[in-house]
Amino acid sequence: MNITEKCTGCMACYNACPFNAIEIIQNEKGFYEPHIIEEKCKKCKKCVITCPQNNLAEKKENKVVYAAWSNSEIEREESTSGGIFSEIAKKVLEEDGIVVGAIYDENFKVVHGILTNKEDLQKTRGSKYVQSYIGDSFKIVKKYLDEGRKVLFSGVACQIAGLKNFLNKKYNNLITVDVLCHGVPSPMIFEEYKKRHNGNEISNIKFRYKKPSWTIFSMKIDYKNGSSYSNTTYKDEYIRAFLEDYITNEVCCECKYTGKDRVSDITLADFWGYISESFKNRNTEKGISLVMVNTKVGEEYFYKIKERIVYIEKTFEEAAKGNQCLRKPFQKNKLYNEFWKNYFLAGYDDTVKKYIREKNMPLK
């Protein structure tokens, strides 16, 4: 039995199977996908029904859009854009809630982790441009929800859709935040990249280090010996491969969760547009969040953090101008198939040399 030919790796089927008949494997390009253990499968088709590619999760028309940032300089500096997710997460934790989102494990594999205190909140800060391993997260979320605890779940839209299909009922104590997605890169390629950067000696990785600026960010890797590596979006091989659409999952090119109608309570991204006609606030280079409030639950939590942030109401058109995936999915590079064929034949180093080109930084 085939669950879907368009798997995004959300792992809703894995969490939903009542017979533990699904295991998660990595396909030839390193993306997570389900594999049915035939001797355990009872053909109940719970996996097929739960899959958000087979059955679209409910989407809501966006209500209001803001450009916003945290009043906390630390939150704003340490976050990818304006620090709004941290402010929402802090509020949920103050209410004795649970926060679930993408973090690094001890080997710097990107996984969905469960956070219960503010001290661990820094683990969720910053973009992580790798497909996240969901694991049993949906089951754990359901357990907390059924106990009456508030849960904030953050992920890309297909992961939110997978969670909602898995839960299959409305929970008033669930808050969902989707991070606007360019497409998810291969964990296998990220492992290759880390090996070239002394993977065993890494102490931290920042995909969106705000040097030289928020606009022209860097990949930064800190090492246990106190040294570090950093290179800009125009130079770093992994960032270039990601932004040039060589290493994203092919199914992302047909994403069913792009557009104005959103599957989550709040959508977050970078706000790249003008703040006013006379002042381009993004040039402060501290980061500005795009906040799309999509539901009443989203309105409630945005209201709860209003005293902690600066916010300016904008239009959806202004938001979409700087974020293509609010209009349509990104498409794979025209040399995508050649890139992967070369990778399988000649390996990572040869492929990087042939296909990944550094670019000149724009003149100011």
Side-chain angles (χ1 to χ4, degrees):
M1 182 174 66
N2 185 20
I3 298 172
T4 177
E5 295 179 355
K6 301 293 184 180
C7 179
T8 66
C10 77
M11 304 190 196
C13 59
Y14 170 78
N15 281 266
C17 180
F19 305 107
N20 295 319
I22 295 176
E23 61 182 347
I24 299 301
I25 63 171
Q26 287 180 271
N27 65 21
E28 64 174 358
K29 293 188 177 77
F31 295 102
Y32 302 123
E33 62 180 33
H35 171 73
I36 294 176
I37 305 169
E38 294 295 341
E39 58 268 27
K40 289 186 177 182
C41 180
K42 306 299 182 184
K43 304 294 190 292
C44 70
K45 296 190 176 180
K46 184 73 177 289
C47 56
V48 176
I49 295 167
T50 304
C51 174
Q53 292 292 86
N54 296 332
N55 297 290
L56 286 182
E58 181 185 11
K59 293 188 278 187
K60 300 286 187 180
E61 185 177 359
N62 166 250
K63 292 179 179 293
V64 64
V65 172
Y66 298 100
W69 59 91
S70 172
N71 284 324
S72 166
E73 289 294 320
I74 294 175
E75 299 288 3
R76 194 177 182 189
E77 176 64 28
E78 292 297 317
S79 299
T80 294
S81 44
I84 300 301
F85 176 76
S86 288
E87 295 296 355
I88 298 169
K90 279 194 295 183
K91 187 62 184 174
V92 171
L93 291 171
E94 287 167 6
E95 297 173 340
D96 194 33
I98 308 297
V99 174
V100 184
I103 65 171
Y104 296 120
D105 71 4
E106 64 275 10
N107 297 313
F108 288 92
K109 174 182 172 180
V110 178
V111 301
H112 260 60
I114 314 297
L115 308 180
T116 58
N117 61 72
K118 289 183 184 179
E119 289 69 33
D120 287 337
L121 194 54
Q122 50 83 23
K123 295 179 182 179
T124 64
R125 291 195 191 108
S127 294
K128 297 170 181 69
Y129 296 141
V130 190
Q131 186 184 34
S132 176
Y133 187 88
I134 291 286
D136 293 325
S137 295
F138 293 174
K139 293 179 184 178
I140 296 170
V141 166
K142 184 178 187 303
K143 174 180 175 292
Y144 280 120
L145 290 172
D146 287 340
E147 290 173 355
R149 299 281 292 275
K150 287 188 178 179
V151 177
L152 169 62
F153 185 92
S154 171
V156 295
C158 61
Q159 292 171 337
I160 305 288
L163 172 64
K164 289 192 168 184
N165 280 8
F166 166 77
L167 293 173
N168 198 30
K169 62 177 282 189
K170 180 176 175 58
Y171 283 89
N172 293 327
N173 48 333
L174 174 65
I175 308 102
T176 55
V177 173
D178 83 281
V179 181
L180 211 57
C181 179
H182 181 117
V184 294
S186 165
M188 181 175 71
I189 296 297
F190 186 51
E191 288 300 315
E192 294 266 27
Y193 174 79
K194 285 189 295 182
K195 287 177 186 176
R196 273 67 181 178
H197 287 274
N198 302 315
N200 293 333
E201 301 302 317
I202 293 172
S203 63
N204 194 28
I205 301 174
K206 284 189 176 182
F207 283 90
R208 292 286 300 274
Y209 181 55
K210 293 176 181 176
K211 303 291 181 185
S213 66
W214 170 54
T215 307
I216 304 172
F217 56 87
S218 294
M219 172 74 95
K220 185 172 188 287
I221 301 175
D222 295 322
Y223 300 107
K224 294 174 184 177
N225 66 6
S227 64
S228 65
Y229 156 88
S230 67
N231 223 334
T232 72
T233 179
Y234 290 89
K235 304 288 185 181
D236 181 82
E237 68 199 61
Y238 186 85
I239 296 296
R240 291 246 47 81
F242 166 51
L243 293 179
E244 292 179 11
D245 301 296
Y246 282 115
I247 59 173
T248 50
N249 200 340
E250 284 189 84
V251 72
C252 296
C253 302
E254 304 171 28
C255 180
K256 298 181 179 182
Y257 295 97
T258 54
K260 185 175 184 179
D261 295 347
R262 309 302 301 169
V263 74
S264 66
D265 297 306
I266 293 175
T267 299
L268 295 178
D270 295 279
F271 186 87
W272 296 119
Y274 284 89
I275 298 303
S276 71
E277 292 300 320
S278 60
F279 179 57
K280 201 175 183 182
N281 199 299
R282 62 181 277 192
N283 286 338
T284 63
E285 295 300 348
K286 293 181 180 179
I288 300 173
S289 295
L290 164 64
V291 185
M292 298 175 63
V293 178
N294 307 317
T295 67
K296 289 184 178 179
V297 172
E299 286 179 339
E300 175 189 348
Y301 271 86
F302 189 79
Y303 179 82
K304 286 181 178 182
I305 66 167
K306 276 187 173 181
E307 299 303 315
R308 303 180 180 187
I309 65 174
V310 177
Y311 58 96
I312 304 163
E313 188 168 346
K314 308 300 290 183
T315 66
F316 175 80
E317 288 69 29
E318 288 173 295
K321 186 179 291 187
N323 289 280
Q324 176 182 308
C325 40
L326 286 175
R327 293 175 278 114
K328 61 182 181 179
F330 283 87
Q331 296 302 297
K332 64 184 181 182
N333 193 292
K334 64 182 181 181
L335 299 177
Y336 182 93
N337 292 336
E338 285 185 29
F339 174 96
W340 281 102
K341 183 178 180 180
N342 194 88
Y343 173 80
F344 295 133
L345 289 173
Y348 178 87
D349 294 323
D350 182 81
T351 305
V352 166
K353 287 178 184 177
K354 283 186 178 178
Y355 293 92
I356 308 304
R357 299 285 182 263
E358 294 183 359
K359 293 177 66 175
N360 294 324
M361 288 175 60
L363 298 174
K364 292 185 178 180

